[in-house]
Amino acid sequence: MLLVVSLIPMPGFAVAPGLTLDPEKPTKAAITKNNGWDNRVAASIASLGITGDATMGQTLPSITSAKAQLGMKLFFTKGLGGDKDAACVTCHHPKLGGGDNLSLPIGVTAEIPDLLGPGRRHLSAGADFDGGPTVPRNAPTTFNLALWEKVLFHDGRVETISGGISTPDSGHGNIDPVAGSNLAEAQARFPVTSPEEMRGFAYEAGNSTAALRTALETRLQTTGAGIDALNSNDWLAEFRAGFGSTADAATLITFPKIAEAIGEYENSQVFASHRFKEYIDGNKAAISTDAKKGAILFFNSVAEGGANCASCHRGDFYTDEAFHVVAMPQIGRGKGDGTGSDDFGRFRLTGQAEDKYAFRTPTLLNVEKTGPWGHAGGYTSLNAVINHHLNPQSAIDNYDFNQLENSVQVDDMKANTQRAIDTLEVNRSAGLISPILENVSLTGKQVDQLVAFLKTLTDQCLNDDSCISAWIPASSDTDPDGLRVNAVNENGLAL
Ligand code: HEC
Ligand code: HEC
């Protein structure tokens, strides 16, 4: 039975105003004290090898390259959606932090396909669903995708393994021979196969993912009416430009090349230059004293009086690329596990008991822009996310599952989330996993300081429309099939 849940896009998610530095002229005593904080931050990050530069040593693609430009056009076209009503950008818009600002995404059959973010709704109740989101997990950001070395997706089902990359096509632990050369490229083959995200429920229904991809290739090679062609079609010229080739459509417009171009575009979304880096590079005024105190809490262990965040959010990319049970609210329809509305996370791949409810540690670069947070988007404020880490049981006891409509579902969601906490407790008492989430006692002020620190990890490009617009097609750019998402918000304003 398909579960019925109408999840309203969580209210109250708004980007908090930027930090302002203390305007008062510091006294001599304050300066000495400040040096004290600086010294302590310096000691913490030195011992952990933090440099502020997550991109070190890597050659990353530029958005101005021909291939990335082609990838951008593919990322923005509904022509890759089965029913021509959803594109990659539907859930990963550069102006929405590389996500969609919703707890759980709405992909196909939206009331207004080009309306993104809060206010996006499914067409009114069909036979299968009630208008709520059908996608069971929060859309992670595509920003800094190139910096992931090991795993993509909340459960890591696209994964670097010895000799290649494993994907849902090859299965856990097996090399997918057509995955391509990087994780972004490997991942880009899959959203088109998901009925809820892009494929729809009728297009190539019952056919294999291979047949589906072939049908999409054919569509992009063909001009004409109907679902198997495009009314207007300039893709051949675009692929020729993107790949610097004069080959024919059958050679150029193939799924491996579609994925390669989309991957290039995503990998060009490098937003890793932030105020904390500026601070590490020597500008001691680049971040506030509160942020410095937050950094010390973040990097120090509990024994040292810190919150041990860096044990999992490790290094300059702020992730160990590993899986941990943190037991964030399990809301929405779930992945069909357990009771049906549950999501077992990494366990779905490994079958290991300790992986049940384990999800990938997210990067914290630009985290201020990538909410709502958690694998199911259960939290709409960073303070709440942190409070959850400090004491999951008390956070869940106080969590308002009634933000979601449908009371039957609420009981399921509560029970599923409690099972995740119970698994955390079992793992804690077994004492076999390290690092493991510890309960930590912090004051509200200290939580604010952690939030102040997290907000220093935002790339300034994201606060500058003229900078971020390089990753959005301009109105003067060609629209190869007339199916580009011209994104608007709920007030009808262009994103
Ligand atoms: C309906 C919304 C939706 C659409 C459309 C969509 N995605 Fe996603 N995307 C998601 C969700 C949800 C996840 C997480 C799924 C999971 O972990 O199980 C995700 C995960 C990803 C990831 C992994 C990021 C990470 O950090 O692990 C990448 C990359 C990505 N999507 C790219 C794309 C591309 C490329 C397209 C188009 C071909 C696309 N998405 C279309 C919702 C969407
Ligand atoms: C035991 C490992 C671990 C520790 C320690 C840890 N985290 Fe996390 N953190 C995670 C995992 C795993 C998730 C994702 C949970 C999910 O998706 O449901 C997460 C999610 C987050 C998120 C939400 C990010 C997003 O994109 O959804 C933030 C913010 C965060 N952590 C900050 C912190 C802070 C601050 C601390 C220290 C107080 C901390 N974490 C300690 C593992 C950890």
mmCIF file of all heavy atoms in Angstrom, residues 311-350:
data_model
loop_
_atom_site.group_PDB
_atom_site.id
_atom_site.type_symbol
_atom_site.label_atom_id
_atom_site.label_comp_id
_atom_site.label_asym_id
_atom_site.label_seq_id
_atom_site.Cartn_x
_atom_site.Cartn_y
_atom_site.Cartn_z
ATOM 1 N N SER A 311 35.142 14.948 14.701
ATOM 2 C CA SER A 311 35.458 13.518 14.612
ATOM 3 C C SER A 311 34.750 12.896 13.408
ATOM 4 O O SER A 311 35.255 11.940 12.826
ATOM 5 C CB SER A 311 35.078 12.787 15.909
ATOM 6 O OG SER A 311 33.695 12.905 16.157
ATOM 7 N N CYS A 312 33.603 13.421 13.035
ATOM 8 C CA CYS A 312 32.899 12.945 11.829
ATOM 9 C C CYS A 312 32.968 13.980 10.700
ATOM 10 O O CYS A 312 33.205 13.637 9.555
ATOM 11 C CB CYS A 312 31.444 12.654 12.141
ATOM 12 S SG CYS A 312 31.216 11.383 13.394
ATOM 13 N N HIS A 313 32.734 15.241 11.048
ATOM 14 C CA HIS A 313 32.818 16.324 10.045
ATOM 15 C C HIS A 313 34.292 16.711 9.947
ATOM 16 O O HIS A 313 34.710 17.756 10.434
ATOM 17 C CB HIS A 313 31.934 17.498 10.449
ATOM 18 C CG HIS A 313 30.482 17.148 10.518
ATOM 19 N ND1 HIS A 313 29.698 17.016 9.391
ATOM 20 C CD2 HIS A 313 29.674 16.875 11.572
ATOM 21 C CE1 HIS A 313 28.459 16.689 9.752
ATOM 22 N NE2 HIS A 313 28.421 16.590 11.070
ATOM 23 N N ARG A 314 35.069 15.837 9.320
ATOM 24 C CA ARG A 314 36.515 15.873 9.407
ATOM 25 C C ARG A 314 37.152 16.615 8.237
ATOM 26 O O ARG A 314 36.634 16.602 7.131
ATOM 27 C CB ARG A 314 37.004 14.412 9.393
ATOM 28 C CG ARG A 314 38.455 14.234 9.745
ATOM 29 C CD ARG A 314 38.836 12.768 9.699
ATOM 30 N NE ARG A 314 38.090 11.966 10.677
ATOM 31 C CZ ARG A 314 38.015 10.632 10.646
ATOM 32 N NH1 ARG A 314 38.610 9.959 9.694
ATOM 33 N NH2 ARG A 314 37.345 9.985 11.576
ATOM 34 N N GLY A 315 38.298 17.243 8.517
ATOM 35 C CA GLY A 315 39.103 17.831 7.446
ATOM 36 C C GLY A 315 38.470 19.082 6.865
ATOM 37 O O GLY A 315 37.487 19.615 7.382
ATOM 38 N N ASP A 316 39.038 19.559 5.774
ATOM 39 C CA ASP A 316 38.573 20.813 5.181
ATOM 40 C C ASP A 316 37.276 20.677 4.401
ATOM 41 O O ASP A 316 36.673 21.670 4.009
ATOM 42 C CB ASP A 316 39.673 21.394 4.280
ATOM 43 C CG ASP A 316 40.799 21.991 5.111
ATOM 44 O OD1 ASP A 316 40.503 22.897 5.919
ATOM 45 O OD2 ASP A 316 41.941 21.541 4.988
ATOM 46 N N PHE A 317 36.857 19.447 4.144
ATOM 47 C CA PHE A 317 35.559 19.236 3.486
ATOM 48 C C PHE A 317 34.494 18.899 4.543
ATOM 49 O O PHE A 317 33.347 18.660 4.234
ATOM 50 C CB PHE A 317 35.691 18.128 2.437
ATOM 51 C CG PHE A 317 34.530 18.027 1.470
ATOM 52 C CD1 PHE A 317 33.836 19.147 1.041
ATOM 53 C CD2 PHE A 317 34.141 16.792 0.975
ATOM 54 C CE1 PHE A 317 32.764 19.044 0.154
ATOM 55 C CE2 PHE A 317 33.075 16.674 0.087
ATOM 56 C CZ PHE A 317 32.390 17.801 -0.322
ATOM 57 N N TYR A 318 34.894 18.850 5.787
ATOM 58 C CA TYR A 318 33.977 18.652 6.912
ATOM 59 C C TYR A 318 33.142 17.372 6.803
ATOM 60 O O TYR A 318 31.972 17.338 7.152
ATOM 61 C CB TYR A 318 33.091 19.902 7.122
ATOM 62 C CG TYR A 318 33.949 21.079 7.520
ATOM 63 C CD1 TYR A 318 34.501 21.918 6.557
ATOM 64 C CD2 TYR A 318 34.283 21.304 8.848
ATOM 65 C CE1 TYR A 318 35.360 22.952 6.902
ATOM 66 C CE2 TYR A 318 35.138 22.343 9.206
ATOM 67 C CZ TYR A 318 35.667 23.155 8.228
ATOM 68 O OH TYR A 318 36.519 24.163 8.581
ATOM 69 N N THR A 319 33.769 16.325 6.292
ATOM 70 C CA THR A 319 33.105 15.013 6.297
ATOM 71 C C THR A 319 34.154 13.911 6.239
ATOM 72 O O THR A 319 35.196 14.074 5.577
ATOM 73 C CB THR A 319 32.120 14.839 5.123
ATOM 74 O OG1 THR A 319 31.686 13.459 5.089
ATOM 75 C CG2 THR A 319 32.733 15.194 3.785
ATOM 76 N N ASP A 320 33.881 12.808 6.927
ATOM 77 C CA ASP A 320 34.739 11.622 6.833
ATOM 78 C C ASP A 320 34.265 10.703 5.704
ATOM 79 O O ASP A 320 34.837 9.632 5.504
ATOM 80 C CB ASP A 320 34.767 10.868 8.167
ATOM 81 C CG ASP A 320 33.362 10.499 8.662
ATOM 82 O OD1 ASP A 320 32.370 10.757 7.934
ATOM 83 O OD2 ASP A 320 33.254 9.958 9.777
ATOM 84 N N GLU A 321 33.207 11.122 4.993
ATOM 85 C CA GLU A 321 32.607 10.299 3.930
ATOM 86 C C GLU A 321 32.257 8.908 4.441
ATOM 87 O O GLU A 321 32.329 7.924 3.708
ATOM 88 C CB GLU A 321 33.524 10.223 2.699
ATOM 89 C CG GLU A 321 33.785 11.583 2.068
ATOM 90 C CD GLU A 321 34.234 11.481 0.613
ATOM 91 O OE1 GLU A 321 33.693 10.646 -0.113
ATOM 92 O OE2 GLU A 321 35.106 12.269 0.213
ATOM 93 N N ALA A 322 31.893 8.840 5.714
ATOM 94 C CA ALA A 322 31.497 7.558 6.303
ATOM 95 C C ALA A 322 30.059 7.684 6.824
ATOM 96 O O ALA A 322 29.433 8.747 6.719
ATOM 97 C CB ALA A 322 32.457 7.179 7.414
ATOM 98 N N PHE A 323 29.546 6.599 7.396
ATOM 99 C CA PHE A 323 28.121 6.504 7.752
ATOM 100 C C PHE A 323 27.972 6.351 9.263
ATOM 101 O O PHE A 323 28.682 5.553 9.884
ATOM 102 C CB PHE A 323 27.500 5.316 7.011
ATOM 103 C CG PHE A 323 27.682 5.442 5.531
ATOM 104 C CD1 PHE A 323 28.845 4.989 4.917
ATOM 105 C CD2 PHE A 323 26.733 6.085 4.762
ATOM 106 C CE1 PHE A 323 29.039 5.165 3.550
ATOM 107 C CE2 PHE A 323 26.925 6.258 3.393
ATOM 108 C CZ PHE A 323 28.082 5.796 2.785
ATOM 109 N N HIS A 324 27.069 7.116 9.830
ATOM 110 C CA HIS A 324 26.874 7.086 11.279
ATOM 111 C C HIS A 324 25.391 7.135 11.608
ATOM 112 O O HIS A 324 24.612 7.743 10.880
ATOM 113 C CB HIS A 324 27.559 8.295 11.930
ATOM 114 C CG HIS A 324 29.007 8.415 11.594
ATOM 115 N ND1 HIS A 324 29.982 7.733 12.268
ATOM 116 C CD2 HIS A 324 29.652 9.122 10.625
ATOM 117 C CE1 HIS A 324 31.172 8.013 11.744
ATOM 118 N NE2 HIS A 324 30.997 8.854 10.737
ATOM 119 N N VAL A 325 25.040 6.512 12.730
ATOM 120 C CA VAL A 325 23.665 6.599 13.205
ATOM 121 C C VAL A 325 23.545 7.856 14.057
ATOM 122 O O VAL A 325 24.203 7.981 15.091
ATOM 123 C CB VAL A 325 23.284 5.363 14.045
ATOM 124 C CG1 VAL A 325 21.828 5.459 14.485
ATOM 125 C CG2 VAL A 325 23.536 4.087 13.267
ATOM 126 N N VAL A 326 22.758 8.794 13.573
ATOM 127 C CA VAL A 326 22.549 10.058 14.286
ATOM 128 C C VAL A 326 21.069 10.191 14.647
ATOM 129 O O VAL A 326 20.694 10.977 15.506
ATOM 130 C CB VAL A 326 23.063 11.228 13.419
ATOM 131 C CG1 VAL A 326 22.652 12.565 13.964
ATOM 132 C CG2 VAL A 326 24.599 11.171 13.316
ATOM 133 N N ALA A 327 20.230 9.395 14.002
ATOM 134 C CA ALA A 327 18.802 9.298 14.334
ATOM 135 C C ALA A 327 18.034 10.604 14.156
ATOM 136 O O ALA A 327 17.220 10.989 14.990
ATOM 137 C CB ALA A 327 18.609 8.741 15.743
ATOM 138 N N MET A 328 18.295 11.287 13.046
ATOM 139 C CA MET A 328 17.489 12.478 12.740
ATOM 140 C C MET A 328 16.080 12.037 12.336
ATOM 141 O O MET A 328 15.889 10.907 11.883
ATOM 142 C CB MET A 328 18.160 13.262 11.622
ATOM 143 C CG MET A 328 19.476 13.867 12.077
ATOM 144 S SD MET A 328 19.756 15.471 11.391
ATOM 145 C CE MET A 328 21.411 15.771 12.005
ATOM 146 N N PRO A 329 15.088 12.919 12.485
ATOM 147 C CA PRO A 329 13.700 12.529 12.252
ATOM 148 C C PRO A 329 13.498 11.815 10.914
ATOM 149 O O PRO A 329 13.945 12.294 9.877
ATOM 150 C CB PRO A 329 12.946 13.865 12.269
ATOM 151 C CG PRO A 329 13.805 14.763 13.097
ATOM 152 C CD PRO A 329 15.226 14.330 12.866
ATOM 153 N N GLN A 330 12.834 10.669 10.977
ATOM 154 C CA GLN A 330 12.520 9.899 9.775
ATOM 155 C C GLN A 330 11.105 10.283 9.343
ATOM 156 O O GLN A 330 10.135 9.674 9.785
ATOM 157 C CB GLN A 330 12.646 8.391 10.067
ATOM 158 C CG GLN A 330 12.246 7.503 8.906
ATOM 159 C CD GLN A 330 12.980 7.884 7.625
ATOM 160 O OE1 GLN A 330 14.195 8.020 7.625
ATOM 161 N NE2 GLN A 330 12.243 8.076 6.544
ATOM 162 N N ILE A 331 11.019 11.303 8.506
ATOM 163 C CA ILE A 331 9.701 11.776 8.088
ATOM 164 C C ILE A 331 9.477 11.451 6.618
ATOM 165 O O ILE A 331 10.423 11.181 5.885
ATOM 166 C CB ILE A 331 9.543 13.293 8.326
ATOM 167 C CG1 ILE A 331 10.633 14.069 7.580
ATOM 168 C CG2 ILE A 331 9.586 13.603 9.823
ATOM 169 C CD1 ILE A 331 10.430 15.578 7.639
ATOM 170 N N GLY A 332 8.224 11.471 6.209
ATOM 171 C CA GLY A 332 7.897 11.213 4.811
ATOM 172 C C GLY A 332 7.582 9.758 4.561
ATOM 173 O O GLY A 332 7.321 8.993 5.479
ATOM 174 N N ARG A 333 7.605 9.378 3.287
ATOM 175 C CA ARG A 333 7.157 8.036 2.904
ATOM 176 C C ARG A 333 8.186 6.953 3.136
ATOM 177 O O ARG A 333 7.888 5.770 3.077
ATOM 178 C CB ARG A 333 6.785 8.024 1.415
ATOM 179 C CG ARG A 333 5.515 8.786 1.155
ATOM 180 C CD ARG A 333 5.285 8.987 -0.350
ATOM 181 N NE ARG A 333 4.561 10.224 -0.543
ATOM 182 C CZ ARG A 333 3.265 10.277 -0.866
ATOM 183 N NH1 ARG A 333 2.584 9.197 -1.079
ATOM 184 N NH2 ARG A 333 2.672 11.452 -0.992
ATOM 185 N N GLY A 334 9.460 7.348 3.357
ATOM 186 C CA GLY A 334 10.496 6.340 3.581
ATOM 187 C C GLY A 334 10.834 5.566 2.328
ATOM 188 O O GLY A 334 10.317 5.831 1.235
ATOM 189 N N LYS A 335 11.716 4.600 2.481
ATOM 190 C CA LYS A 335 12.211 3.819 1.343
ATOM 191 C C LYS A 335 11.555 2.450 1.276
ATOM 192 O O LYS A 335 12.063 1.539 0.618
ATOM 193 C CB LYS A 335 13.725 3.655 1.454
ATOM 194 C CG LYS A 335 14.519 4.948 1.305
ATOM 195 C CD LYS A 335 14.565 5.470 -0.119
ATOM 196 C CE LYS A 335 15.569 4.713 -0.954
ATOM 197 N NZ LYS A 335 15.713 5.336 -2.304
ATOM 198 N N GLY A 336 10.461 2.261 2.007
ATOM 199 C CA GLY A 336 9.778 0.976 1.951
ATOM 200 C C GLY A 336 10.366 -0.054 2.903
ATOM 201 O O GLY A 336 10.023 -1.232 2.843
ATOM 202 N N ASP A 337 11.278 0.361 3.785
ATOM 203 C CA ASP A 337 11.880 -0.582 4.719
ATOM 204 C C ASP A 337 10.976 -0.797 5.938
ATOM 205 O O ASP A 337 10.104 0.024 6.227
ATOM 206 C CB ASP A 337 13.236 -0.056 5.211
ATOM 207 C CG ASP A 337 14.234 0.078 4.066
ATOM 208 O OD1 ASP A 337 14.116 -0.672 3.088
ATOM 209 O OD2 ASP A 337 15.133 0.942 4.170
ATOM 210 N N GLY A 338 11.232 -1.894 6.653
ATOM 211 C CA GLY A 338 10.539 -2.140 7.925
ATOM 212 C C GLY A 338 9.039 -2.049 7.770
ATOM 213 O O GLY A 338 8.421 -2.768 6.975
ATOM 214 N N THR A 339 8.452 -1.096 8.495
ATOM 215 C CA THR A 339 7.009 -0.908 8.462
ATOM 216 C C THR A 339 6.496 -0.441 7.101
ATOM 217 O O THR A 339 5.297 -0.361 6.882
ATOM 218 C CB THR A 339 6.613 0.186 9.464
ATOM 219 O OG1 THR A 339 7.387 1.351 9.132
ATOM 220 C CG2 THR A 339 6.918 -0.234 10.890
ATOM 221 N N GLY A 340 7.409 -0.088 6.235
ATOM 222 C CA GLY A 340 7.017 0.427 4.926
ATOM 223 C C GLY A 340 7.417 1.877 4.774
ATOM 224 O O GLY A 340 7.830 2.315 3.712
ATOM 225 N N SER A 341 7.316 2.632 5.855
ATOM 226 C CA SER A 341 7.657 4.055 5.779
ATOM 227 C C SER A 341 9.025 4.309 6.401
ATOM 228 O O SER A 341 9.378 5.434 6.710
ATOM 229 C CB SER A 341 6.603 4.891 6.505
ATOM 230 O OG SER A 341 6.532 4.486 7.859
ATOM 231 N N ASP A 342 9.800 3.247 6.601
ATOM 232 C CA ASP A 342 11.099 3.420 7.244
ATOM 233 C C ASP A 342 12.201 3.535 6.192
ATOM 234 O O ASP A 342 11.988 3.249 5.008
ATOM 235 C CB ASP A 342 11.382 2.234 8.186
ATOM 236 C CG ASP A 342 12.171 2.672 9.411
ATOM 237 O OD1 ASP A 342 12.734 3.792 9.377
ATOM 238 O OD2 ASP A 342 12.237 1.905 10.391
ATOM 239 N N ASP A 343 13.361 3.963 6.640
ATOM 240 C CA ASP A 343 14.527 4.097 5.766
ATOM 241 C C ASP A 343 15.734 3.608 6.547
ATOM 242 O O ASP A 343 16.152 4.244 7.513
ATOM 243 C CB ASP A 343 14.690 5.568 5.360
ATOM 244 C CG ASP A 343 15.827 5.773 4.350
ATOM 245 O OD1 ASP A 343 16.682 4.870 4.202
ATOM 246 O OD2 ASP A 343 15.857 6.855 3.725
ATOM 247 N N PHE A 344 16.269 2.461 6.149
ATOM 248 C CA PHE A 344 17.369 1.840 6.898
ATOM 249 C C PHE A 344 18.743 2.384 6.514
ATOM 250 O O PHE A 344 19.762 1.919 7.026
ATOM 251 C CB PHE A 344 17.338 0.316 6.722
ATOM 252 C CG PHE A 344 16.196 -0.368 7.434
ATOM 253 C CD1 PHE A 344 15.851 -1.685 7.121
ATOM 254 C CD2 PHE A 344 15.468 0.282 8.421
ATOM 255 C CE1 PHE A 344 14.812 -2.332 7.781
ATOM 256 C CE2 PHE A 344 14.416 -0.351 9.081
ATOM 257 C CZ PHE A 344 14.083 -1.667 8.760
ATOM 258 N N GLY A 345 18.798 3.352 5.568
ATOM 259 C CA GLY A 345 20.082 3.998 5.272
ATOM 260 C C GLY A 345 21.116 3.026 4.733
ATOM 261 O O GLY A 345 20.832 2.195 3.862
ATOM 262 N N ARG A 346 22.334 3.115 5.237
ATOM 263 C CA ARG A 346 23.462 2.327 4.728
ATOM 264 C C ARG A 346 23.215 0.816 4.822
ATOM 265 O O ARG A 346 23.743 0.046 4.027
ATOM 266 C CB ARG A 346 24.711 2.712 5.523
ATOM 267 C CG ARG A 346 26.002 2.051 5.061
ATOM 268 C CD ARG A 346 26.390 2.491 3.657
ATOM 269 N NE ARG A 346 27.711 1.988 3.274
ATOM 270 C CZ ARG A 346 28.202 2.032 2.034
ATOM 271 N NH1 ARG A 346 27.478 2.565 1.066
ATOM 272 N NH2 ARG A 346 29.394 1.558 1.764
ATOM 273 N N PHE A 347 22.397 0.414 5.794
ATOM 274 C CA PHE A 347 22.054 -1.003 5.951
ATOM 275 C C PHE A 347 21.462 -1.578 4.673
ATOM 276 O O PHE A 347 21.626 -2.764 4.380
ATOM 277 C CB PHE A 347 21.057 -1.146 7.110
ATOM 278 C CG PHE A 347 20.524 -2.537 7.310
ATOM 279 C CD1 PHE A 347 21.197 -3.462 8.097
ATOM 280 C CD2 PHE A 347 19.319 -2.931 6.731
ATOM 281 C CE1 PHE A 347 20.694 -4.748 8.297
ATOM 282 C CE2 PHE A 347 18.809 -4.212 6.918
ATOM 283 C CZ PHE A 347 19.500 -5.114 7.711
ATOM 284 N N ARG A 348 20.773 -0.735 3.893
ATOM 285 C CA ARG A 348 20.166 -1.208 2.647
ATOM 286 C C ARG A 348 21.216 -1.789 1.705
ATOM 287 O O ARG A 348 20.916 -2.615 0.863
ATOM 288 C CB ARG A 348 19.427 -0.064 1.941
ATOM 289 C CG ARG A 348 18.199 0.427 2.699
ATOM 290 C CD ARG A 348 17.661 1.728 2.120
ATOM 291 N NE ARG A 348 17.321 1.611 0.706
ATOM 292 C CZ ARG A 348 16.202 1.077 0.238
ATOM 293 N NH1 ARG A 348 15.287 0.639 1.070
ATOM 294 N NH2 ARG A 348 15.994 1.000 -1.057
ATOM 295 N N LEU A 349 22.470 -1.320 1.833
ATOM 296 C CA LEU A 349 23.534 -1.831 0.972
ATOM 297 C C LEU A 349 24.338 -2.930 1.655
ATOM 298 O O LEU A 349 24.682 -3.922 1.029
ATOM 299 C CB LEU A 349 24.482 -0.696 0.559
ATOM 300 C CG LEU A 349 23.896 0.225 -0.502
ATOM 301 C CD1 LEU A 349 23.243 1.428 0.139
ATOM 302 C CD2 LEU A 349 24.946 0.632 -1.499
ATOM 303 N N THR A 350 24.677 -2.735 2.912
ATOM 304 C CA THR A 350 25.632 -3.639 3.561
ATOM 305 C C THR A 350 24.966 -4.779 4.323
ATOM 306 O O THR A 350 25.598 -5.807 4.559
ATOM 307 C CB THR A 350 26.518 -2.884 4.564
ATOM 308 O OG1 THR A 350 25.690 -2.420 5.648
ATOM 309 C CG2 THR A 350 27.221 -1.701 3.916
#
